[in-house]
Amino acid sequence: MKIGITCYPTYGGSGALATELGMDLARRGHEVHFITYAMPFRLREYVERVYFHEVDTSTGRYPLFEFYPYSLALASKQYDVALRERLDVLHVHYAVPHATTAWLAREMLGERQRLPVITTLHGTDITLVGQEASFYAITKFSIERSDRVTAVSQFLKDETVRTFGCSNCHISVIPNFVNLAEYHPGEADCRDGLAPEGHKIVTHVSNFREVKRVRDVVRVFARIRRAMPATLLMIGDGPERDDAEREARDLKVDGDVRFFGKLGNVVTLLRATDLFLLPSQTESFGLAALEAMACGAPVVGSRTGGLTEVVEDGVSGLLEPPGSVEAMGRRAVDVLRDPELFQAMRRAAVDRAADFSTERVVPQYEALYAEARG
Ligand code: GMT
């Protein structure tokens, strides 16, 4: 099949998932065409049967435009690529504005070429952005006009139905997945240089937006740090980073917190991780948590949204209500202090991640494409 994929190319779960999907589809023999404004961050090198079509954002800066109409440029590109490459399907990730531009591209093709549009909902496109007054009607319209819609968790499907009604759309739940050939526990020396000898390694990966509660990450870590030697690896960047750094100084743990900024590949650091922290306000799935679990790191996080469909409380991780830093810290310390419990939880995290392997999940997308083509 010839598959077009549109996603956000920047650091974020939806772009990461879309890129992993494209790469795996190519491994399975499909031809994949990414259509977006920059090379997706996880696609930095040549992969057979994968092509990248850049939406030009440098032209069209006409003085009349105070705001560049990116959505129109994207729709035109999706239309061009679909026609030229004879795409069989167009799969867009994150509804705003991708489901809308895909609908436009399909309308432009009209009778000339059938182009089924598949929209995957990822989270904040439904729980935050899509609900804003200026986007609500068009998001609902575009979801309803997609040929197929998927959500990355049951939570997100329910949330979409609750928020938008979506009487006409049949939403399939296809969970996020992890490539176990790459994400697996590391050897003993994988921790070298990351933290002083004898330190527990605690990690957080996100885009440091408000919804991630990154100050809570630092607060939970401070409770662990009070109980034992430990180092916190903070990976990513975003609007809340300064606050997180200030919190680390205020709690006097800044000497044991390392801020790495954005990293293209986090697997090396995840393999060295003892515990992964994700105390978000809401999380439709928690792809970063799944990748950490595959590397053998139990997750301490929020009992919220789709995270409860990934992490089993008390088995492969620990879940507490958002904001419960005291409980998260206390339970994290209990596990880290008990080598037997910790090893059991580590094994359970790896086992749980295997339920979401590429091999189990990607065929579900292939089947959906085939169904959409009819
Ligand atoms: O908020 C983010 O972390 C980024 C966002 C995105 O769309 O890039 O992530 C959402 O999609 C991920 C991939 O499906 C999910 O794993 C995240 O849980 C989800 N984020 C939220 O719901 C806050």
Side-chain angles (χ1 to χ4, degrees), residues 8 10-17 94 120-125 127-128 152 155-156 176 206-207 209 211-212 278 280 282-288:
Y8 282 103
T10 45
Y11 297 81
S14 61
L17 192 279
Y94 208 90
T120 289
L121 310 172
H122 278 273
T124 48
D125 45 353
T127 56
L128 289 176
V152 298
F155 158 79
L156 190 59
N176 287 336
S206 79
N207 45 23
R209 284 185 291 152
V211 68
K212 300 293 176 182
L278 198 61
S280 313
T282 178
E283 203 63 69
S284 71
F285 183 90
L287 179 62

Side-chain angles (χ1 to χ4, degrees), residues 2 27 30 48 89 102 122 124 194 295 307 319 345 359:
K2 291 186 170 197
R27 271 180 228 121
H30 301 288
E48 207 181 335
V89 293
H122 278 273
T124 48
L194 281 174
C295 293
L307 203 50
L319 299 179
M345 211 169 249
E359 291 74 15

Side-chain angles (χ1 to χ4, degrees), residues 256-267:
D256 291 310
V257 183
R258 299 182 66 183
F259 286 87
F260 288 88
K262 290 177 182 171
L263 294 176
N265 191 336
V266 297
V267 69

Side-chain angles (χ1 to χ4, degrees), residues 34-102:
F34 283 96
I35 310 164
T36 182
Y37 63 86
M39 179 74 92
F41 75 97
R42 285 199 179 178
L43 186 75
R44 287 284 177 236
E45 54 192 44
Y46 166 74
V47 180
E48 207 181 335
R49 289 185 288 276
V50 172
Y51 302 89
F52 168 54
H53 306 267
E54 187 170 353
V55 180
D56 188 2
T57 54
S58 63
T59 53
R61 301 249 175 238
Y62 191 60
L64 187 66
F65 299 152
E66 212 169 312
F67 304 101
Y68 178 66
Y70 171 68
S71 299
L72 297 184
L74 174 60
S76 296
K77 195 67 160 186
Q78 288 170 323
Y79 163 83
D80 285 344
V81 174
L83 208 52
R84 196 174 58 239
E85 306 292 344
R86 308 302 302 172
L87 294 184
D88 293 306
V89 293
L90 178 58
H91 187 178
V92 297
H93 294 259
Y94 208 90
V96 187
H98 301 149
T100 312
T101 65

Side-chain angles (χ1 to χ4, degrees), residues 84-348:
R84 196 174 58 239
E85 306 292 344
R86 308 302 302 172
L87 294 184
D88 293 306
V89 293
L90 178 58
H91 187 178
V92 297
H93 294 259
Y94 208 90
V96 187
H98 301 149
T100 312
T101 65
W103 172 78
L104 256 176
R106 193 186 63 193
E107 289 296 301
M108 288 162 76
L109 287 166
E111 297 293 307
R112 260 175 304 171
Q113 189 183 325
R114 209 175 146 258
L115 183 68
V117 168
I118 292 104
T119 297
T120 289
L121 310 172
H122 278 273
T124 48
D125 45 353
I126 298 302
T127 56
L128 289 176
V129 186
Q131 293 186 29
E132 280 181 22
S134 39
F135 295 128
Y136 181 87
I138 202 162
T139 303
K140 176 173 159 58
F141 171 84
S142 312
I143 291 172
E144 287 177 347
R145 294 302 166 102
S146 299
D147 293 279
R148 293 289 183 281
V149 180
T150 79
V152 298
S153 61
Q154 185 62 43
F155 158 79
L156 190 59
K157 174 179 174 172
D158 295 345
E159 198 59 15
T160 308
V161 173
R162 193 184 63 78
T163 312
F164 293 102
C166 276
S167 45
N168 294 336
C169 48
H170 299 285
I171 306 176
S172 319
V173 176
I174 302 186
N176 287 336
F177 59 87
V178 60
N179 179 357
L180 300 178
E182 190 180 1
Y183 291 81
H184 54 74
E187 305 297 326
D189 62 356
C190 68
R191 308 160 65 95
D192 290 356
L194 281 174
E197 195 64 34
H199 273 221
K200 297 291 180 196
I201 298 185
V202 181
T203 302
H204 171 77
V205 182
S206 79
N207 45 23
F208 286 53
R209 284 185 291 152
E210 198 181 342
V211 68
K212 300 293 176 182
R213 300 187 68 108
V214 283
R215 276 190 302 166
D216 282 2
V217 172
V218 177
R219 289 172 186 155
V220 174
F221 172 73
R223 284 162 171 78
I224 297 173
R225 181 65 196 88
R226 256 180 248 139
M228 66 191 74
T231 295
L232 174 63
L233 312 181
M234 294 287 270
I235 305 165
D237 210 335
E240 302 290 307
R241 177 171 168 173
D242 287 346
D243 282 355
E245 295 204 27
R246 196 170 314 116
E247 190 74 17
R249 284 193 297 276
D250 291 350
L251 294 176
K252 304 199 174 7
V253 291
D254 50 317
D256 291 310
V257 183
R258 299 182 66 183
F259 286 87
F260 288 88
K262 290 177 182 171
L263 294 176
N265 191 336
V266 297
V267 69
T268 322
L269 301 185
L270 291 180
R271 285 192 194 135
T273 296
D274 291 304
L275 215 58
F276 188 81
L277 300 184
L278 198 61
S280 313
Q281 186 59 37
T282 178
E283 203 63 69
S284 71
F285 183 90
L287 179 62
L290 176 63
E291 291 179 341
M293 289 162 77
C295 293
V299 173
V300 174
S302 297
R303 191 178 298 125
T304 180
L307 203 50
T308 59
E309 296 170 41
V310 182
V311 180
E312 310 133 298
D313 185 24
V315 181
S316 49
L318 307 168
L319 299 179
E320 290 290 338
S324 312
V325 289
E326 189 57 51
M328 289 183 195
R330 180 173 33 78
R331 292 184 73 195
V333 169
D334 289 348
V335 168
L336 289 170
R337 271 190 177 145
D338 182 337
E340 225 167 275
L341 179 61
F342 176 65
Q343 285 308 328
M345 211 169 249
R346 212 172 156 79
R347 279 193 299 274

